Amino acid sequence: MSMHLWIIPLLPLTGAAINGLLGKRFPKVLVNTIALGFTAAAFAMALWVAAQFAGLSPDQIPHIERYATWLSAGQFSAEYGIYLDQLSLVMLLIVTGVGFLIHVYSVGYMAHEGGYYRYFAYLNIFMFFMLTLVLADNYLLMFVGWEGVGLASYLLIGFWFLKKSAADAGKKAFITNRVGDFGFLIALFLLIKHFGTLQYDSLWKLVSQHPVESAGAGLLTAIGLLMLVGATGKSAQIPLYVWLPDAMEGPTPVSALIHAATMVTAGVYMVARSSPIFDRAPDARLAVAVIGTLTAIFAASIGIVQTDIKKVLAYSTISQLGYMFMACGVADYIGGIFHLMTHAFFKGLLFLAAGSIIHGLGGEQDMRHMGGLRKYLPYTFWSMTVATFAIAGLPPFAGFFSKDRILWSAWSSGNHIIWLIGVITAGMTSFYMFRLWFLTFFGEYRGPNPETAEHGHDADAIHDAHDAHATGDSHGHGAPHESPWVMVVPLMILALLSFVGGWVGVPHSLHGSDHFDAFLAPVFQAAAAGTTASEPAPENGVDSTELIFSGISVGLAALGLLLAWYLYYKRPELPARMAKAAGGLYTLVLDKYKVDELYGAVIIQPLIALSTNVFWKGIDLGLIDRAVDDGAEGALETSDAMRHMQSGNIRSYAGWVAVGATAVIAFMVWRGLR
């Protein structure tokens, strides 16, 4: 049975082509119709595919559709095909569903921007590449989507290309991702050399015959580590995380779509999809867990002191991605994907709510200039409240179930240090998110014109706010006002998902059925056959112990809430005193541990010096250009000398002919005498 799955990625590609080529001539309503229409059609077809998938028998999964041979060289070939199983179906629904909501939100947020058609063309092209990535039936086609979302990210981060900071952020994201992609590409070369294929179904059969590399590093360990390098770039993990905070220079809906809900989770998806490799390379899988754990607490510590609302959410995203890597590293791939899904709901909502705040304040992003906004932006306030409680891991919100599962998996796998760091990070997450919540919505409004705000939403102030927003100005001075319904409705839908989205994974310890685990389990059970990852956790006392550990994580989340309430609501003067008392330590964390400066001093400046002094001045100018210039000068001098021999006198020419002829005859006579 063919589901014609190729239509799903083709739909947003068609929208991108129409708006990209012709959209400049279209009115905005037609641009909206095309961009949203094709995205909605992709989501509708994804829902239809999900219904069809539910009717497949276990032996019909994965459902593979291959349409043509894309690449063939010797014994190697790669197909253009689509691989649909439980994992890719979950990703398909997240990308099309959340993507469509963000498209709708963008209609209101970007209404006053130039390049409107270009923005939606970029969003649609991103959707095409992301769908290609998650639906590909081989690593080579996945890599096309992988590179494509990097290109789309570059275009969207640098959308306001006249702002130097935005243009620089786009380049930084693009170059940093290329570093990670180099590792991923080498991993693919190793797979081709040793297994002769990149098709998932064929590759898993060959990999399953490979023994677990428990004695030390081997081929699969090398491949796994190289894949991890690629994942650290795309999913912003240590050491390649530095691009994501700067990527906040792009429009806020871009941050929600690319840097919270979809693109940055591509690395997590790739690791989960590659579980047959990582399960047979425990050292590589441990590296995934360590990188994720360190990234989670490192980014959380930076998020605690940031004052830009989008920067707080950016470091929060890096930290939450660390949780997903932590789960995959302790062989709980389902937990990682579960958190990926709930994170798409609540972090997408957090970014969109932040965008609503920025929109309502005329471009203001500094939380120190906010406060008391719950009475001006009521829908945004309640939406962001749900998302804040969800990311903090408080029940019964979605984030509680996914984060709790990851922490329990870390403990039950025997990685107690990883669990401890994860629990501490959970408390830090709760603290910095409720810090954001109290600074933004409670207390008195601290903006530049509280009098205007108190007297309502006058039209001139709102118009000024729109103008400031349209120029990318981060210090607009409009009166606070709620966003239009086209922006508010997506907030409400995501708020509902952030509340109930985790209920599909309620664990048995809480008397749930854990439908999400049951749905995804077949994908990873077959992959883990014959490895330690397939061994079940001990049954004795699991429920009671798991409840105790749930209580610990919830207790720390509640402690983070209380601490944020005391410092930023009850005693708001204390944080400044504490920062002053911390002195250099506070400054170091505020400066993001000066990692960017370190990279600049150790990597970027030496590369610039090398390329300037050696490659440009030494090789290009000194060797190549000098050789060409000297050759040209020699030819010029020779031709000039020859030119002076041309006198125009026929008797002179005849004399030279006679001299030449005499020389030739003399040479021939000399040769004859010898």
Side-chain angles (χ1 to χ4, degrees), residues 393-406:
L394 292 167
F397 298 90
F400 162 73
F401 298 102
S402 56
K403 189 178 292 186
D404 197 61
R405 172 174 178 141
I406 293 172

Side-chain angles (χ1 to χ4, degrees), residues 495-539:
L496 178 63
L497 292 171
S498 298
F499 186 75
V500 305
W503 295 359
V504 296
V506 178
H508 299 291
S509 62
L510 295 175
H511 306 290
S513 300
D514 207 343
H515 297 292
F516 195 81
D517 185 282
F519 180 70
L520 277 182
V523 176
F524 302 106
Q525 284 173 350
T531 71
T532 55
S534 63
E535 295 175 6
E539 294 286 340

Side-chain angles (χ1 to χ4, degrees), residues 239-291:
L240 299 179
Y241 72 92
V242 291
W243 66 270
L244 195 144
D246 289 15
M248 298 303 107
E249 289 288 342
T252 303
V254 172
S255 304
L257 178 64
I258 295 184
H259 307 121
T262 53
M263 186 194 102
V264 291
T265 60
V268 181
Y269 170 77
M270 184 262 281
V271 172
R273 175 60 74 199
S274 308
S275 62
I277 294 172
F278 284 97
D279 284 342
R280 287 165 179 79
D283 288 348
R285 197 176 65 208
L286 179 62
V288 173
V290 171
I291 290 292

Side-chain angles (χ1 to χ4, degrees), residues 30-105:
L30 184 54
V31 173
N32 296 339
T33 303
I34 292 168
L36 272 65
F38 282 103
T39 309
F43 179 49
M45 186 164 182
L47 292 174
W48 178 82
V49 166
Q52 297 297 308
F53 186 86
L56 297 179
S57 60
D59 61 337
Q60 293 177 302
I61 302 173
H63 174 78
I64 301 173
E65 294 184 5
R66 292 195 174 118
Y67 309 110
T69 299
W70 171 39
L71 188 65
S72 181
Q75 299 297 314
F76 174 78
S77 66
E79 305 288 325
Y80 179 76
I82 289 180
Y83 188 94
L84 186 69
D85 63 356
Q86 293 88 341
L87 176 58
S88 52
L89 180 61
V90 169
M91 295 298 296
L92 172 63
L93 292 171
I94 292 172
V95 172
T96 55
V98 177
F100 173 66
L101 290 175
I102 293 171
H103 274 70
V104 173
Y105 177 95

